[in-house]
Amino acid sequence: MDTAEIVVVVLAAVPIGALGWFFFGPCRARGARLEGGVQRAEVTVRGGYRPAVIRVRQGVPVELVFDRQESGECTDRVVFPGLRVSAGLPAFQRTTVRLRPEWSPR
């Protein structure tokens, strides 16, 4: 293998590694803020959910405000099957979904 082939292999490995990190790398969790006994977090819906992971305290009610910034059918509903919660997300609107502590999976 000569120098040109090594350079090509290295240049190909860099974007492949970057794509792997983007899709399979660790997700950073964002904590919900506590306001008046309720944990609140905002989630932007545009080609996915940002943040993808939200850290909340167990036993405290949670309000997730979804800001949907698109109109595709893939994101018109958010479902938490373990909590038995399903909510419609109208396009280009903000929707609040409330999760109460007693809605724990059983």
Side-chain angles (χ1 to χ4, degrees), residues 86-99:
S86 175
L89 301 177
F92 304 104
Q93 293 184 25
R94 295 170 62 88
T95 305
T96 300
V97 176
R98 291 172 180 83
L99 307 173

Side-chain angles (χ1 to χ4, degrees), residues 70-95:
E70 60 187 9
S71 62
E73 288 184 28
C74 296
T75 59
D76 66 350
R77 179 160 293 283
V78 64
V79 179
F80 298 94
L83 300 173
R84 293 183 222 109
V85 174
S86 175
L89 301 177
F92 304 104
Q93 293 184 25
R94 295 170 62 88
T95 305

Side-chain angles (χ1 to χ4, degrees), residues 44-63:
T44 302
V45 182
R46 184 179 53 223
Y49 299 97
R50 287 190 178 67
V53 178
I54 300 170
R55 186 176 32 250
V56 296
R57 192 174 318 153
Q58 184 176 359
V60 180
V62 177
E63 287 186 354

